[in-house]
């Protein structure tokens, strides 16, 4: 048996799993997206009706704009927080046990479900919640602030809370692999802390930043339950659009929206991967 045949045999189980659980469902969604649906049945006949309606509606463009807005703002905030936390853990904590303890501390919120962590913000941000009571008692405001809950602010706050760790982990992992002698050499050459950050740490941390960015952007763009709860059903993203179609049993329409979302996410990831060759860097 040749080495090529052995290689194919070794790869065949994983290939089968990918085909059955990844490629086949995506193909099925793409096929269903070209079907039509009535109030009573789904007609398995080729039609561009779903895509024509999708691209011909102003609602679609507003919803996609909302989705990109949430993804961009969440990405920027999680990047700043994630990079700061990773920097502190990697370069300012010398003891490995302390590093591990602090890193585990960051994972504590993940010990409960996303929904519980998300809903926990509602009594805190509500009109009579702890946040408003503190602001009033401190004299910052005279009456409860309405925009803390059921607004874009609360949606983005929940997204940042849910997905920041997905930015911290890859950046921290990349920073831990930076040779500390490079930092010492930069200091010996007279580089300031800011110069070390911009000329040494940031270029070497690009793969981790890119991986974290892909995680956060894809998770936010596919999320729908957070937008539903934290906006009080006053806002929508593409995930909610798909969820609403499924609730109305409009599976072909939901499938068409899912295909457009998938293509959009793949294009976004492709653009990000053009900036950094992750395989080469790692």
């Amino acid at each position: 048996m040749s080495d090529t045949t052995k290689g194919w045999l070794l790869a065949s189980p994983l290939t089968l799993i990918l085909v059955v659980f990844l490629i086949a469902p995506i193909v099925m969604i793409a096929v269903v997206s070209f079907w039509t649906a009535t109030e009573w049945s789904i007609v398995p006949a080729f039609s561009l009706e779903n895509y024509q309606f999708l691209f011909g509606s102003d609602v679609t463009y507003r919803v996609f704009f909302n989705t990109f807005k949430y993804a961009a703002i969440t990405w920027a905030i999680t990047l700043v927080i994630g990079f700061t936390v990773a920097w502190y853990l990697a370069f300012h904590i010398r003891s490995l046990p302390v590093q591990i303890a602090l890193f585990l501390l960051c994972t504590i919120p993940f010990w409960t479900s996303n929904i519980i962590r998300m809903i926990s913000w509602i009594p805190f941000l509500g009109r009579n919640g702890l946040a408003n009571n503190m602001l009033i008692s401190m004299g910052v405001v005279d009456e409860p602030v309405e925009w803390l809950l059921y607004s874009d602010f609360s949606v983005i706050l929940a997204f940042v809370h849910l997905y920041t760790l997905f930015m911290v982990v890859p950046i921290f992992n990349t920073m831990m692999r930076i040779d500390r002698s490079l930092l010492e050499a930069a200091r010996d050459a007279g580089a300031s802390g800011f110069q070390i950050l911009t000329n040494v740490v940031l270029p070497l941390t690009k793969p981790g930043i890119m991986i974290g960015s892909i995680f956060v952007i894809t998770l936010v763009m596919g999320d729908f339950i957070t937008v539903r709860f934290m906006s009080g059903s006053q806002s929508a993203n593409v995930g909610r659009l798909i969820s609403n179609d499924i609730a109305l049993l409009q599976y072909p329409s939901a499938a068409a929206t899912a295909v457009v979302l998938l293509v959009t996410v793949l294009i976004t990831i492709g653009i990000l991967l053009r900036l950094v060759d992750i395989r080469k860097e790692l």
Side-chain angles (χ1 to χ4, degrees):
M1 184 180 297
S2 64
D3 292 339
T4 303
T5 305
K6 289 180 181 179
W8 279 106
L9 289 176
L10 291 172
S12 58
L14 180 59
T15 303
L16 181 62
I17 292 173
L18 289 175
V19 169
V20 173
F21 294 104
L22 179 64
I23 298 176
I26 292 175
V27 171
M28 283 295 297
I29 292 173
V31 170
V32 172
S33 70
F34 291 102
W35 294 357
T36 58
T38 65
E39 295 181 359
W40 317 106
S41 63
I42 296 176
V43 181
F46 181 83
S47 173
L48 295 175
E49 177 183 338
N50 297 313
Y51 291 98
Q52 290 171 349
F53 176 79
L54 193 63
F55 289 108
S57 173
D58 292 337
V59 174
T60 302
Y61 297 101
R62 291 200 300 269
V63 168
F64 267 90
F65 174 77
N66 254 2
T67 303
F68 279 109
K69 178 182 68 177
Y70 290 145
I73 297 175
T74 304
W75 168 79
I77 297 174
T78 55
L79 177 59
V80 172
I81 297 174
F83 190 90
T84 304
V85 172
W87 171 277
Y88 178 76
L89 291 176
F91 297 116
H92 291 274
I93 303 298
R94 303 297 182 181
S95 171
L96 182 60
V98 176
Q99 271 186 347
I100 295 174
L102 291 176
F103 187 81
L104 290 176
L105 186 64
C106 295
T107 67
I108 286 179
F110 283 77
W111 296 358
T112 59
S113 71
N114 281 8
I115 295 178
I116 292 175
R117 287 186 288 142
M118 178 177 50
I119 291 177
S120 65
W121 283 106
I122 294 178
F124 180 82
L125 299 173
R127 180 178 177 82
N128 298 314
L130 181 61
N132 268 316
N133 289 336
M134 289 176 58
L135 291 174
I136 292 174
S137 64
M138 294 169 61
V140 178
V141 296
D142 297 325
E143 57 184 16
V145 180
E146 300 289 347
W147 53 262
L148 289 180
L149 186 62
Y150 301 141
S151 61
D152 285 346
F153 170 80
S154 58
V155 172
I156 292 170
L157 178 64
F159 276 143
V160 171
H161 178 209
L162 293 175
Y163 300 131
T164 295
L165 191 63
F166 289 95
M167 187 70 79
V168 172
V169 173
I171 295 177
F172 173 73
N173 179 60
T174 308
M175 283 184 176
M176 289 299 293
R177 301 173 65 174
I178 296 176
D179 189 348
R180 297 304 188 269
S181 63
L182 295 176
L183 305 183
E184 295 296 332
R187 290 192 188 96
D188 294 341
S192 63
F194 181 75
Q195 289 174 325
I196 293 174
L197 172 64
T198 55
N199 297 323
V200 180
V201 177
L202 272 178
L204 295 176
T205 314
K206 278 184 180 179
I209 293 175
M210 205 55 58
I211 293 171
S213 300
I214 291 172
F215 282 155
V216 171
I217 290 173
T218 54
L219 287 170
V220 171
M221 292 184 73
D223 191 301
F224 70 93
I225 197 70
T226 303
V227 177
R228 176 184 174 186
F229 283 154
M230 299 308 294
S231 71
S233 295
Q234 298 180 54
S235 186
N237 64 346
V238 181
R240 277 214 65 196
L241 202 62
I242 297 171
S243 175
N244 291 341
D245 283 339
I246 292 175
L248 296 172
L249 304 181
Q250 297 296 312
Y251 296 118
S253 178
T257 308
V259 169
V260 174
L261 176 61
L262 176 61
V263 172
T264 304
V265 171
L266 290 176
I267 291 173
T268 304
I269 293 174
I271 293 172
L272 293 175
L273 292 179
R274 294 278 294 182
L275 301 176
V276 176
D277 186 349
I278 294 178
R279 291 178 298 178
K280 181 180 178 181
E281 294 287 344
L282 294 178

